[in-house]
Amino acid sequence: MATMSSSSSTIRMVSSLTTSINLKDPLLLRGKFLSRHRESLEVIDPSATLGEIEDGTAVIALVEAMDRNDAKEAIETSSKALNKWKFHTTALERSKMLSRLSMLITENAHDIARIMTLESGKPLKESLAEVGYGTSFIDFYAAEAMRSNSAGGGYLYPSPFSSIDGSPRGKIMAIQEAVGVTAMITPWNFPIAMITRKLAPALAAGCTVVLKPSELTPLTAIAVKELANRAGIPDEVFQLIISNKEQTPSVGEEFCANPIVKKISFTGSTAVGKLLMKQSSHTVKRLSLELGGNAPFIVFEDADVEQAVHAAMASKFRNAGQTCVCADRFIIHQDIEQEFLHALHQKVQNIHVGKGLDEKTTMGPLILGSAASSIKEKVDEALEKGAECVIGGNLLTHLGPNFFEPTILRNVNTSCRIWCEETFGPVIAISTFIHEEQAIELANDTSSGLASYFCSKDAARMFRVAERLENGIVGINEGIISTANAPFGGVKESGLGREGSPSGLAEYLETKYVFLNP
């Protein structure tokens, strides 16, 4: 891995990454450590061709990589800043700073979207939509900061105790307080939204934040940090730790082992989430874990097929299927399978795969070549076990090693990996059912429990099936249901806690009981 001296630029941008946002320093508030001799982290364009990868032009930026020592010092800095942020800023002040941050992100939306597309590969339209989705969390928690359920708020209960004269004695008060120093680890698939969904409620509550973005998409995080500085959020209150793949495990271990950190929020794989739980057990930290999914998508015989296909397309192919809530297992009633397949095929064949900055592109690459190869292996296994490929099924190597065709498989054996494991790619795997109970059993036959979807026009069935599905999120006749106003999170091995809604703010608050006897 290349190294960078202290005199070199902290980040080198190719001409196509020039924006109005000054990304001169990914360490931002960490300038005092720039004298260290560091390794550099290469940020790679996922849509690059094999030739561009081989000749080095796929590298869009070099960023200084930080390590466990940096994480430790950032945590200590965060701890020193906590008292002032928690006790010497008002909820109104924190709300105003968040509102300014939202405004600045909106003003720079096109630049941020371009950065996001370059480092994640998603189509520019999707990146722009994500910027809006990301700011919605900031707006929501800027408002929540002022409510009675936020830090400094609370509630009163009638006292059960009696004075000598029989009158109530004392006051029972429950007061909400910021948890303290928080550590966050965010993924690459939603480079801005996964940051704002965690950062905004933490800052609104009066917590300080040390955040490690994915090593695959650090540039969006740098842009957010730059704009947070401009919004007046103190340097030491929101810090970034950008590490490479090799340093990431030790940074995560520092987050877990350091007793100063009182709360960890992580979005990523179930395996890593379990490791963080284990490593955090010695310091008994509060955890919010949004882990893997393997979402079922049920289409009942009474469904509006056109509506079901629209929902399926929205859920499955956004970000090339690389979302934790996208539908993976399609459970279709046998009486309408052919009608559903015909309509779905018509939609899928019109997907335009290409580079995210191309205006015609409606689906970009996968994040890594290894991800595309893994999906190819799963598709081939399914075909060997009797599945039929309706469309797609192959790598698009002429575009680049990370591209895979939008794919529909029918008659999928439910023992196949493409069915049993989270796909994280543009593959629809279909199996059929006859009875409602059979569909519910298939849907629940997984250790995951994040999102689920089903389509029906029967109101009684809507309530009945929604209750039976073992998931934290259920979409009925709709494929995209995430919003800042609603609680987002899973059950079973898909995680702990909720993000979004007032529940997301509660994750960063402790409740203190105070008995006052005047």
Side-chain angles (χ1 to χ4, degrees):
M1 172 123 3
T3 58
M4 299 177 67
S5 67
S6 60
S7 61
S8 65
S9 173
T10 312
I11 185 166
R12 301 171 185 172
M13 316 295 287
V14 296
S15 58
S16 64
L17 201 56
T18 301
T19 75
S20 66
I21 299 172
N22 181 9
L23 300 180
K24 63 182 182 299
D25 182 4
L27 299 185
L28 299 172
L29 50 125
R30 312 278 296 153
K32 62 184 179 180
F33 300 116
L34 289 179
S35 61
R36 290 180 177 172
H37 192 66
R38 298 181 180 278
E39 291 184 336
S40 66
L41 166 65
E42 293 182 341
V43 183
I44 307 293
D45 177 5
S47 66
T49 64
L50 186 59
E52 290 170 331
I53 293 171
E54 290 175 346
D55 66 20
T57 56
V59 179
I60 59 174
L62 296 176
V63 181
E64 275 193 330
M66 303 170 77
D67 58 22
R68 182 170 186 163
N69 288 330
D70 295 311
K72 184 175 184 294
E73 292 178 41
I75 291 167
E76 291 170 353
T77 299
S78 190
S79 179
K80 293 175 183 176
L82 178 63
N83 186 70
K84 183 176 181 180
W85 182 250
K86 179 178 178 179
F87 294 113
H88 297 283
T89 59
T90 65
L92 178 60
E93 288 172 323
R94 297 194 296 272
S95 176
K96 287 181 176 179
M97 288 183 213
L98 287 171
S99 294
R100 283 197 293 270
L101 174 58
S102 176
M103 179 186 68
L104 288 168
I105 291 174
T106 300
E107 289 175 355
N108 291 276
H110 287 275
D111 284 342
I112 294 174
R114 183 177 177 85
I115 292 167
M116 201 187 311
T117 290
L118 283 166
E119 66 178 350
S120 74
K122 64 177 63 182
L124 189 58
K125 288 182 180 178
E126 287 191 16
S127 294
L128 277 168
E130 185 184 332
V131 173
Y133 178 54
T135 56
S136 73
F137 286 96
I138 304 176
D139 294 336
F140 184 86
Y141 288 111
E144 285 295 297
M146 299 293 297
R147 305 201 193 285
S148 61
N149 59 305
S150 186
Y155 48 89
L156 290 171
Y157 270 125
S159 174
F161 306 114
S162 300
S163 299
I164 296 174
D165 61 2
S167 62
R169 176 168 56 87
K171 298 289 186 183
I172 291 178
M173 298 183 292
I175 301 173
Q176 306 285 21
E177 294 183 350
V179 168
V181 175
T182 64
M184 301 175 178
I185 303 174
T186 58
W188 50 264
N189 56 340
F190 290 96
I192 190 169
M194 294 302 98
I195 290 175
T196 59
R197 195 161 77 177
K198 300 176 188 296
L199 176 69
L203 295 180
C207 297
T208 53
V209 175
V210 180
L211 186 145
K212 194 205 88 64
S214 169
E215 66 274 10
L216 300 174
T217 55
L219 303 179
T220 303
I222 294 167
V224 172
K225 181 63 181 77
E226 175 74 13
L227 296 180
N229 284 354
R230 296 185 194 179
I233 297 170
D235 283 350
E236 64 276 8
V237 167
F238 168 33
Q239 301 178 80
L240 288 183
I241 295 293
I242 297 175
S243 60
N244 57 28
K245 184 178 180 180
E246 292 72 27
Q247 295 292 341
T248 290
S250 63
V251 169
E253 188 175 357
E254 181 62 33
F255 284 176
C256 294
N258 196 312
I260 294 174
V261 175
K262 302 305 180 186
K263 158 89 179 181
I264 290 179
S265 180
F266 168 76
T267 297
S269 73
T270 300
V272 173
K274 289 179 178 180
L275 178 62
L276 294 175
M277 285 185 72
K278 182 178 180 180
Q279 292 177 340
S280 297
S281 63
H282 294 294
T283 48
V284 195
K285 298 191 192 307
R286 291 185 62 172
L287 296 172
S288 293
L289 303 175
E290 195 260 280
L291 308 179
N294 189 7
F297 191 105
I298 306 171
V299 182
F300 289 101
E301 70 276 15
D302 65 310
D304 180 325
V305 172
E306 182 179 353
Q307 184 182 48
V309 168
H310 177 79
M313 292 294 296
S315 176
K316 178 72 260 185
F317 294 107
R318 181 174 55 135
N319 199 17
Q322 299 172 112
T323 80
C324 54
V325 293
C326 79
D328 281 336
R329 299 172 295 135
F330 285 73
I331 303 167
I332 314 299
H333 194 279
Q334 67 174 19
D335 289 351
I336 61 167
E337 183 197 14
Q338 290 305 313
E339 182 184 0
F340 179 81
L341 268 175
H342 176 75
L344 185 65
H345 183 276
Q346 295 296 111
K347 294 284 188 181
V348 171
Q349 68 180 3
N350 290 326
I351 294 174
H352 184 88
V353 182
K355 291 180 177 290
L357 292 179
D358 186 336
E359 291 183 358
K360 296 179 294 183
T361 294
T362 54
M363 192 184 92
L366 299 175
I367 191 67
L368 295 170
S370 57
S373 298
S374 175
I375 290 172
K376 175 60 175 170
E377 291 173 3
K378 292 178 181 179
V379 167
D380 288 347
E381 180 209 24
L383 295 175
E384 290 172 3
K385 291 186 176 182
E388 174 191 340
C389 186
V390 178
I391 187 172
N394 292 302
L395 295 161
L396 295 172
T397 52
H398 64 285
L399 295 177
N402 296 12
F403 288 90
F404 197 87
E405 288 183 299
T407 299
I408 303 173
L409 302 177
R410 66 175 297 270
N411 194 34
V412 174
N413 188 313
T414 57
S415 68
C416 292
R417 291 171 59 208
I418 200 74
W419 187 271
C420 298
E421 300 175 6
E422 185 177 33
T423 304
F424 241 61
V427 180
I428 286 178
I430 295 176
S431 184
T432 59
F433 72 96
I434 300 174
H435 304 295
E436 179 182 299
E437 189 65 29
Q438 181 187 5
I440 294 170
E441 288 178 2
L442 277 171
N444 289 338
D445 186 23
T446 174
S447 60
S448 300
L450 187 54
S452 60
Y453 308 88
F454 70 91
C455 297
S456 173
K457 290 187 289 188
D458 184 330
R461 172 176 275 162
M462 291 178 189
F463 286 97
R464 184 172 64 245
V465 174
E467 184 177 19
R468 293 286 305 282
L469 290 172
E470 297 171 355
N471 301 92
I473 303 166
V474 180
I476 305 173
N477 297 322
E478 185 58 66
I480 297 179
I481 57 175
S482 299
T483 170
N485 301 61
F488 185 104
V491 298
K492 300 198 283 192
E493 293 189 13
S494 285
L496 304 169
R498 294 294 181 268
E499 294 181 326
S501 80
S503 299
L505 181 65
E507 297 286 331
Y508 296 93
L509 295 170
E510 294 283 12
T511 303
K512 178 182 288 184
Y513 162 44
V514 176
F515 182 82
L516 174 62
N517 187 16

